[in-house]
Amino acid sequence: MSATYIVLCWGLSFPVTEGALSALPPFLVGGLRFCCVALCCLFVPRPALAWRWIVLIGLFSSTGQYGLLYLGMAHGMPSGLTALVVNAQAPITIVVAALVLRERPTPRRVGGVLISTLGLVLVGLTRGQSVPWSALLLVLGAGTSWAIGNVCTRMAPFTERRPDNAFRLVAWSALIPPLPLLALSLTQNVPGRGRGVHAELAAMAAAGPRAWLALAYMVVLGTILGMSAWSSLLAKHPADRVTPYALGIPVVALLSSRMLIGEPLTLATVGACALVLAGIALVALPSRAGAAAEAEAVPTAAVPAPPLPAGDEDLAASSA
């Protein structure tokens, strides 16, 4: 159920995030989010991983991704469209993994990613005419940072195979984002309050229950549980097998944004979302040819990645 949980939880998190950003500055939201997650380090042992990998994953998967994402949303990107653009990470991850990890996606999976990407482009064309370019580029940068973090997670050479490695990694990599994000927040103007520590504290004091409930959702469901599940899948399976599942997140985000905060949803957008789902099905559903190709694939010794399982049965089951 890991892949299904990630799609639903992260898709819903986009309209939920609007609640936090409506009351708090974007970098402050990110800093508070990871401050809370980092408290898990008091109870969770450090993963069996060198510090440089923890820092790299914390910088790209957390600091870069969420800092740019929240800044883009604060500058005018609607939550549904944000989910669409940030998922440029899926094709970028597969390209980077092919170059760095020598993972070779099957033609069927390449076709599925292309179909899903076409659907994402069509969604953008039907909804993106009034979105500021600055906001669009910020969110695209967040997707690129996520993609690099995916490959770092895949390459991370755990010295000990443990079932809780993914959770440990999420907790300890959360030590990295708070300092840069909170420092950046001090340089930003808080509307009507100026900038600096006093402005940040005043914004926090004025924030209502909606903002704090949204932050709690992002900390517990989005980060501790969601990122643990995502890191676990990346550690067990090739990147081209995992990342296409994230293409379903914009579909959930678009629908939930329509239902929860009233963002418009046209018939053209619904059709484009159907293309996204068709591409995911093509990538995710097992085929005899794909299984045979994966069975022949052997990870190169030059890549310090964890050993892959014999097949993808558990991941296929997680999507059922």
Side-chain angles (χ1 to χ4, degrees):
M1 294 296 292
S2 295
T4 302
Y5 170 79
I6 290 168
V7 171
L8 292 176
C9 176
W10 283 357
L12 285 168
S13 72
F14 285 90
V16 168
T17 299
E18 293 278 7
L21 293 175
S22 65
L24 299 169
F27 288 134
L28 180 60
V29 170
L32 291 175
R33 173 179 183 164
F34 287 102
C35 278
C36 295
V37 177
L39 292 176
C40 295
C41 294
L42 298 174
F43 313 100
V44 178
R46 194 184 120 191
L49 192 63
W51 265 110
R52 65 179 179 274
W53 290 103
I54 296 174
V55 171
L56 281 173
I57 291 168
L59 284 175
F60 288 107
S61 292
S62 302
T63 311
Q65 180 190 170
Y66 289 100
L68 294 172
L69 182 76
Y70 293 158
L71 190 61
M73 293 180 73
H75 278 73
M77 278 288 283
S79 59
L81 190 58
T82 297
L84 161 74
V85 175
V86 78
N87 273 281
Q89 63 83 22
I92 296 173
T93 298
I94 291 175
V95 171
V96 175
L99 294 174
V100 177
L101 303 181
R102 302 179 188 177
E103 293 180 355
R104 295 294 181 261
T106 64
R108 183 182 184 208
R109 289 177 183 166
V110 171
V113 170
L114 291 176
I115 291 173
S116 292
T117 302
L118 175 61
L120 293 175
V121 170
L122 291 176
V123 173
L125 292 175
T126 59
R127 303 199 57 216
Q129 293 87 347
S130 61
V131 173
W133 274 105
S134 59
L136 183 65
L137 292 175
L138 284 167
V139 176
L140 186 59
T144 302
S145 185
W146 184 4
I148 297 171
N150 286 340
V151 175
C152 289
T153 300
R154 177 72 183 140
M155 292 178 64
F158 287 96
T159 58
E160 183 183 1
R161 296 283 292 182
R162 296 177 56 91
D164 62 346
N165 267 343
F167 178 69
R168 291 186 181 193
L169 179 58
V170 168
W172 282 79
S173 65
L175 291 171
I176 310 305
L179 184 58
L181 289 178
L182 292 175
L184 285 169
S185 188
L186 294 176
T187 69
Q188 301 288 306
N189 279 318
V190 180
R193 304 183 191 278
R195 69 176 66 183
V197 175
H198 293 294
E200 303 280 311
L201 293 175
M204 292 174 63
R210 180 189 176 198
W212 295 113
L213 287 173
L215 186 63
Y217 180 101
M218 289 187 281
V219 169
V220 178
L221 300 181
T223 306
I224 295 177
L225 298 181
M227 291 186 71
S228 295
W230 180 257
S231 298
S232 177
L233 290 177
L234 282 172
K236 294 177 182 177
H237 305 279
D240 69 287
R241 183 72 166 129
V242 176
T243 55
Y245 282 92
L247 294 171
I249 295 171
V251 179
V252 176
L254 287 162
L255 295 174
S256 60
S257 294
R258 170 62 176 171
M259 292 185 291
L260 296 177
I261 58 178
E263 286 189 3
L265 185 62
T266 65
L267 185 60
T269 301
V270 172
C273 289
L275 268 182
V276 175
L277 291 174
I280 292 174
L282 191 61
V283 171
L285 295 178
S287 67
R288 293 181 180 179
E294 287 176 13
E296 295 174 0
V298 179
T300 176
V303 177
L308 299 179
D312 283 340
E313 292 82 3
D314 54 335
L315 180 59
S318 72
S319 64

